[in-house]
Amino acid sequence: MKKLALLLAASALASAFATSAWSKTLVYCSEASPEGFDPAIYTAGTSFDASSRTVYNRLVEFKHGSTETEPGLAESYTISPDGTVYTFKLRKGVKFQKTDFFTPTRDLTADDVIFSFERQLKADNPWNKYVAGASYEYADGMGFPKLIKSIEKVDDLTVKFTLNKPEAPFLADLAMDFASIVSKEYADKLAADNNMVQMNQKPLGTGPFTFVGYQQDAVIRYQANPDYWGPKQKIDDLVFAITPDASVRAQKLKAGECHIASYPNAADVAGLKADANLKVDEKPGLNIAYLAYNTMQAPFDKPDVRRALNMAINKKAIVEAVFQGAGQVAKNPIPPTMWSYNDKVEDDKYDPAAAKAALEKAGVKDLSMKIWAMPVSRPYMLNARRAAELMQADFAKVGVKVEIVTYEWAEYLKLSKAKDRDGAAMLGWTGDNGDPDNFLDTLLGCDAVGGNNRAQWCNKDFDALVKKAKVTSDQAERAKLYEEAQVVFKKEAPWATLDHSLEIMPMSKKVSNYYMDPVGVHRFNDVDIAE
C-alpha cells in the first residue's frame, strides 16, 4: 500500500511537470499536507501557505518581506479619533475566481466581508461549526467575539467595524491569514446543496492563484488567476510537491525537481550553498520554539516544578544539535528582534543538581511524563524528534522518565490543544503581524486556553498586562507593559523556552522576486522563474 501511494505521488508530480511544455510552472517542495483550505479554522503555516496566501486576500495586506500593512481588498480606510470605528472602502470590480466547481455571478461586496467575519464571531452562525471539530482559534484566542461590537454594511463597497474598545494591533490583525475574505455567494450555494464541507476542500477567493486540485499527501495544483485585481502573475502554474522528509526536499531541489524547498536540515545547508545552481537566502526568524507544560495537570500546575524542569534542560546542546549555528537559545516568549523584548530577564540556568533538588523539595518523586514531538520540520524547530531525545536524556539525569510521543501533523495540532492533554507539548510560533500581542496574548492569554495556549495557562497578572497593552496607543507605554509581562512569564514558567532560529530558504537561481517573509508564510505572487 505504501509503495502504491509513492507511485501515485510520483505520477501526480510528473503530471504537474508536464504542464511546463506549454506554460511556466513553479514547483515548491512543501513540508507537510495542509489540514484543510479554510484559513479561518487553522493556525499552522502549512495550511496558510496552501490557502490564504495563494487563493485568498484580506482587507489589508502585509507588504512583501515586511510587517508593514498596505491596502488589499480595501483601497482605503479611516479610523475614528477614539480608535473604535474602522471604515473600509472596498475596491470596485474585484472578481472571485472562476473554477470548474463554481462560477461567480457578482463581484466582491461588503456582504462577503461581513460573512467572512460573522461566521467566526457568532456561535449560532450556520457556518461556525461546519467542519466537525473545527474552531476559530485565532478569532477566539485574540478575543474578537468580545472586541467587535458590530460589522455593518454602509453600502455595497463600504463596510464599518465598530469595536467595544480601542485595539492597538487591530489593523495588523486584519492582514493575518484568518481574516481572509471568502465568497458568500459560494457559501450560500454550498449550503443550499448541503455540501458546506466543500468550503474547506475546494477554496475559492479573490487571490493571485486559483485552486485546481489536491491529491492527498502528494500534490496541490494552482493556476494564475486571470481575473486577479492585482498585477498579472509571471508564472502560469504553481505546484506544491508535498515532501515531509527534509533531506528528500534537499535532494529534489538539487535534482531540479522543485524550484524552492522549505526548511532544510541544518546538516544539508552547506551542501545546498555549495551547489552552483542554487542560492540560499537567510534572515533572522520572528519565531520561538517552546515546550508547553499542561499547567492544568499535576504536577505541572506548580510553578516551582516547571522551573525545576527548565533547569534540567541543556538548551545550548539542543540548539547546537538541531541548528548547527543557525539558531540561538531563547529566554523570553518573544524573539529578540521584536520591540519590547526584555533583555533584563534572566534565563533558567542549566543546573541538573539544582533541578533535582528543586523537584525533591516540591515533593515530586519518580515522575513519568510525556514529551510531544512534532512530526514535521518548522522554521523554529527543524528536528523535533532529536530535540525531544535530548530533553529525554536531560530529564533522566534528574530522575524523570520521559516517553516521546507524536502524531500526524493535523492530529498533533488538534490533540495538543486538549485541556486534559498529558505531559508537555513541543510547538513554536512565527509572528503573524510583527506585534508582541501576537505572541503574548495569542499564545499565553486566558482567551486562548484550549486553543493556541497549549500550556492551558491563565495568569491574571499576566493577562491584565497584555490586555492593557492592547488598548494603549502609545508604543513606548505598550512596550513597558509587555516587558513586565515577560517578567511574570519567566517567574511562572508555563513553557520551557527553547530557541529562536535563523530562517533559511534554498531555491534555484532561476527563481526571482521571491521574498522571505518575516511572518513565516510562503508567498508566490509576483514570483518569476527563468525558462
Side-chain angles (χ1 to χ4, degrees):
M1 183 63 71
K2 184 176 180 181
K3 184 176 181 181
L4 176 60
L6 290 172
L7 287 171
L8 287 172
S11 175
L13 189 55
S15 176
F17 272 105
T19 64
S20 63
W22 61 84
S23 63
K24 188 180 287 190
T25 301
L26 179 77
V27 180
Y28 166 58
C29 277
S30 63
E31 74 283 0
S33 299
E35 302 153 274
F37 292 90
D38 182 350
I41 59 178
Y42 300 114
T43 62
T46 305
S47 298
F48 293 157
D49 290 344
S51 60
S52 49
R53 298 297 169 173
T54 48
V55 177
Y56 293 107
N57 291 120
R58 289 139 293 280
L59 291 173
V60 292
E61 303 279 6
F62 292 121
K63 292 182 179 179
H64 269 310
S66 169
T67 55
E68 182 183 350
T69 58
E70 63 181 358
L73 294 178
E75 63 181 6
S76 63
Y77 57 85
T78 58
I79 306 173
S80 65
D82 67 353
T84 62
V85 180
Y86 289 70
T87 304
F88 295 91
K89 187 69 176 178
L90 303 181
R91 296 179 186 274
K92 186 177 181 180
V94 173
K95 299 185 182 304
F96 284 97
Q97 297 146 356
K98 297 176 183 177
T99 69
D100 60 1
F101 51 86
F102 185 75
T103 300
T105 65
R106 64 167 177 79
D107 295 343
L108 171 80
T109 71
D111 293 326
D112 301 301
V113 177
I114 293 171
F115 170 75
S116 297
F117 285 94
E118 285 193 342
R119 69 191 184 113
Q120 303 185 52
L121 304 178
K122 298 183 177 182
D124 60 352
N125 188 290
W127 282 90
N128 190 261
K129 297 291 188 295
Y130 83 100
V131 175
S135 62
Y136 294 96
E137 280 188 59
Y138 263 119
D140 292 341
M142 296 169 71
F144 267 37
K146 296 177 183 176
L147 172 67
I148 298 176
K149 182 178 181 180
S150 64
I151 308 176
E152 303 170 70
K153 177 180 179 179
V154 178
D155 57 46
D156 276 352
L157 294 177
T158 311
V159 62
K160 181 170 71 174
F161 288 70
T162 302
L163 311 183
N164 283 309
K165 59 183 179 180
E167 179 87 350
F170 185 67
L171 195 64
D173 291 345
L174 294 183
M176 290 167 56
D177 301 86
F178 81 99
S180 296
I181 304 303
V182 301
S183 166
K184 183 178 185 299
E185 183 186 23
Y186 179 45
D188 289 344
K189 179 65 165 60
L190 294 178
D193 292 345
N194 196 29
N195 188 26
M196 294 168 74
V197 72
Q198 182 171 302
M199 175 78 80
N200 194 38
Q201 298 168 342
K202 296 182 177 181
L204 182 143
T206 59
F209 295 99
T210 301
F211 176 82
V212 175
Y214 171 43
Q215 183 173 324
Q216 180 75 32
D217 299 330
V219 176
I220 316 172
R221 294 195 57 197
Y222 310 86
Q223 289 180 342
N225 176 10
D227 298 318
Y228 186 46
W229 56 271
K232 182 181 183 300
Q233 296 309 300
K234 298 177 176 65
I235 58 174
D236 301 295
D237 295 285
L238 173 64
V239 177
F240 280 34
I242 300 167
T243 313
D245 189 298
S247 294
V248 175
R249 291 197 297 275
Q251 291 167 11
K252 285 185 175 182
L253 185 62
K254 284 188 169 188
E257 294 178 23
C258 57
H259 304 112
I260 304 176
S262 65
Y263 315 127
N265 283 327
D268 293 330
V269 173
L272 294 168
K273 287 182 175 179
D275 192 313
N277 296 314
L278 304 178
K279 56 184 176 180
V280 180
D281 289 351
E282 298 178 340
K283 71 183 304 180
L286 198 70
N287 59 40
I288 175 76
Y290 59 84
L291 186 71
Y293 303 108
N294 187 347
T295 63
M296 287 187 171
Q297 303 293 320
F300 310 110
D301 56 337
K302 299 178 180 179
D304 52 349
V305 172
R306 302 193 295 262
R307 287 194 299 269
L309 290 171
N310 285 356
M311 285 192 292
I313 301 173
N314 187 346
K315 297 192 288 188
K316 184 178 179 181
I318 292 173
V319 170
E320 289 175 351
V322 174
F323 293 97
Q324 298 183 19
Q328 66 183 94
V329 167
K331 66 177 181 179
N332 287 323
I334 64 174
T337 51
M338 177 167 278
W339 62 272
S340 83
Y341 181 82
N342 191 345
D343 201 30
K344 294 180 181 179
V345 168
E346 291 190 14
D347 199 9
D348 306 299
K349 293 182 179 179
Y350 172 55
D351 191 336
K356 188 172 184 179
L359 287 172
E360 291 174 354
K361 184 178 180 180
V364 176
K365 296 181 179 179
D366 302 319
L367 175 62
S368 294
M369 63 179 287
K370 292 181 179 179
I371 288 182
W372 291 44
M374 299 180 298
V376 298
S377 300
R378 304 301 300 150
Y380 46 75
M381 181 50 68
L382 299 178
N383 191 332
R385 181 76 191 192
R386 179 62 176 144
E389 290 170 349
L390 290 170
M391 285 188 278
Q392 183 183 48
D394 287 340
F395 284 148
K397 294 174 184 177
V398 299
V400 176
K401 184 178 180 181
V402 168
E403 176 190 358
I404 300 173
V405 299
T406 193
Y407 301 89
E408 181 273 330
W409 186 220
E411 191 73 359
Y412 185 97
L413 291 169
K414 176 183 176 182
L415 296 176
S416 62
K417 292 187 294 185
K419 293 180 180 180
D420 61 352
R421 184 203 73 231
D422 52 355
M426 198 187 316
L427 271 164
W429 195 256
T430 299
D432 292 287
N433 59 15
D435 196 287
D437 175 79
N438 184 244
F439 285 79
L440 300 178
D441 192 39
T442 301
L443 302 180
L444 293 159
C446 293
D447 290 334
V449 169
N452 283 327
N453 189 338
R454 290 326 203 266
Q456 317 300 349
W457 180 66
C458 179
N459 180 278
K460 291 182 179 179
D461 293 335
F462 178 92
D463 207 58
L465 288 166
V466 297
K467 291 295 191 291
K468 185 177 179 181
K470 274 179 174 284
V471 300
T472 302
S473 58
D474 183 82
Q475 184 167 313
E477 290 301 315
R478 292 185 73 206
K480 290 179 183 178
L481 293 166
Y482 289 136
E483 288 169 7
E484 290 182 50
Q486 289 166 71
V487 173
V488 176
F489 166 88
K490 204 63 182 179
K491 179 182 177 182
E492 293 293 312
W495 296 349
T497 51
L498 299 177
D499 67 77
H500 308 291
S501 73
L502 185 70
E503 293 197 10
I504 300 171
M505 185 58 58
M507 67 191 78
S508 167
K509 286 185 176 178
K510 294 181 179 180
V511 174
S512 58
N513 297 331
Y514 179 87
Y515 297 92
M516 291 188 70
D517 202 302
V519 300
V521 296
H522 299 96
R523 297 169 63 178
F524 301 99
N525 53 308
D526 305 328
V527 174
D528 199 1
I529 183 167
E531 296 185 81

